[in-house]
Every structure is written in C-alpha cells, then in structure tokens.
Amino acid sequence: MNTNSAPTDRTRIRRLAELASYEQTSLHAVIDAAYLCHIAFQDAKGTHCIPTACWRQGEYLYIHGSNGGRLTKILTSGIQACVTITHLDGLVLARSAFNHAMNYRSAVIYGCFEKVPDEADKHQALALFMEKLAPGRQAQCRPGNDKEMAATTIMRIALNEAAVKIRTGGPQDDDEDMGIPVWAGVLPFAQVHTQPVVDSLCNVATPDYVREWVK
C-alpha cells in the first residue's frame, strides 16, 4: 500500500486492502487517464449517479454544466458528493470460477463541489479541458463567448479525501485447484484510438493532433 496521508473513515479500503493507494500521484494518474466520471449524490427525490466529463487541474477535479441543470444546482448547494472513476484493464480467468477477477484502476473521491466564480479562472479551466481532449485544439477553435460562458457553471472538488484501488497481474488460484486442466490467464482490455472521421463540410487541412490520434 502506497500512502501520502492517512485515509479517512470513508476512504479506508477494507476489502483487498493490499490493492489500496492513498498516494496523490496514483490518484492523479487515474483521473488524467479518464474522460468521464460518475457523481453520486442524494436529494429529496432519492439517490442519483450521473456520468459527466471531467478533468484535473492541480489538486482539484473539475466538471462543468448548464446553470439550470439539476446536477449543477444540487452540487453547488454544498451537498456531499462521491465521485468515481474506473478503468477496466482486463478479465482475469482463473482455474476456479470464484477466483476469477478483473484488472482495473479505480478512484473514489469524497467531498463537496464548489463553484469557480472568477471569469478568468473559468476560461482557464475550460481551456485546460479542451487541451485534455485534443492538445493544440484550444488555439484553433472559437473560444466560448460571453453568452455561453454566462450560461455555464464550472465546478471543482478537492482531492484531499480520496482513495485509489488497482489490481494487476494474473489469476491467484488456490493450491488445490492448480491441477485443473483449464486455460488460465488474462484477457486484456485497452483504450484504442481509431481512425478520425472528418466532417463532410470540413475543408481545412488536417492538424497534427488529428494525424497523431491513431498513433
């Protein structure tokens, strides 16, 4: 277990604790590899879990939303939220059905979201989001205008109460199952960049970041 700070009662991983990490570098790596997160919260209508785009800046995870959206209204009210990110890296096939597993990288973040009120900070945050999607894109596309920015809320949650859980490697079979004549190993998963599809009305040269996408 790698640790930078002691886990809280909410973040302490008890099941397979040897897979836990409370190290900020591990947390940053899981977030930076993700385009989506899931945000769980509760209101008068029940418990909800909403997927949304995310990115990291320093020690905060950022999201954005419409000013009138339910997610925005609830998260900016100071309610407690739980953010999760998961990357599936492989199916682990063991000799025993109950020893099958998955290889994964996951993060859980607890806390309250806060609104980013400063206009300059909002512009900077969205520029970083665009750079995450496609490095170099921000300098080429039209930035948000005053009307678009006024209708958008940027929110962030601190990364000071979080835990990471990572499993790698092959199956872990019991000694008595090692003689079972069945294939054992890992079926890997990977995120693959496929060939870009140009818009039919696009008549500009292909930029470097698009040409490099499949590489």
Side-chain angles (χ1 to χ4, degrees):
M1 180 180 68
N2 298 316
T3 178
N4 273 359
S5 60
T8 68
D9 187 57
R10 293 195 293 187
T11 62
R12 183 181 301 279
I13 294 176
R14 295 170 174 81
R15 172 66 179 162
L16 298 177
E18 67 275 12
L19 304 182
S21 173
Y22 306 98
E23 189 179 65
Q24 289 300 96
T25 55
S26 298
L27 177 61
H28 292 174
V30 172
I31 297 173
D32 293 346
Y35 293 98
L36 293 171
C37 67
H38 287 77
I39 303 176
F41 58 92
Q42 190 173 43
D43 65 8
K45 295 182 179 180
T47 302
H48 315 276
C49 186
I50 306 297
T52 190
C54 66
W55 68 101
R56 182 181 65 86
Q57 182 178 349
E59 295 304 320
Y60 290 90
L61 178 140
Y62 283 73
I63 63 171
H64 74 292
S66 169
N67 292 349
R70 178 180 64 171
L71 183 65
T72 300
K73 290 180 178 179
I74 291 176
L75 292 183
T76 55
S77 71
I79 194 171
Q80 285 283 325
C82 177
V83 181
T84 61
I85 295 172
T86 304
H87 304 283
L88 179 61
D89 296 323
L91 303 179
V92 182
L93 308 187
R95 293 162 181 82
S96 163
F98 275 78
N99 281 330
H100 281 57
M102 294 182 182
N103 285 338
Y104 58 88
R105 292 158 290 143
S106 64
V108 178
I109 304 160
Y110 292 96
C112 297
F113 278 86
E114 62 181 11
K115 184 185 296 186
V116 178
D118 184 79
E119 285 301 313
D121 291 342
K122 287 175 63 175
H123 279 278
Q124 181 188 34
L126 287 176
L128 287 172
F129 178 44
M130 189 63 63
E131 286 300 297
K132 176 183 175 68
L133 296 179
R137 182 74 174 173
Q138 174 65 23
Q140 297 181 350
C141 64
R142 177 183 68 80
N145 57 37
D146 291 344
K147 181 179 179 181
E148 291 168 332
M149 294 299 295
T152 302
T153 299
I154 308 299
M155 295 164 281
R156 67 183 190 177
I157 186 171
L159 302 179
N160 54 15
E161 189 177 6
V164 171
K165 196 173 183 181
I166 299 173
R167 189 200 189 278
T168 61
Q172 297 179 357
D173 278 298
D174 299 326
D175 291 342
E176 58 267 27
D177 294 328
M178 293 303 295
I180 298 175
V182 62
W183 190 91
V186 178
L187 303 179
F189 279 89
Q191 189 178 71
V192 178
H193 292 188
T194 58
Q195 192 66 35
V197 179
V198 64
D199 180 67
S200 60
L201 300 178
C202 178
N203 56 9
V204 301
T206 303
D208 291 343
Y209 57 82
V210 174
R211 286 196 297 267
E212 296 293 323
W213 178 252
V214 294
K215 297 181 181 180

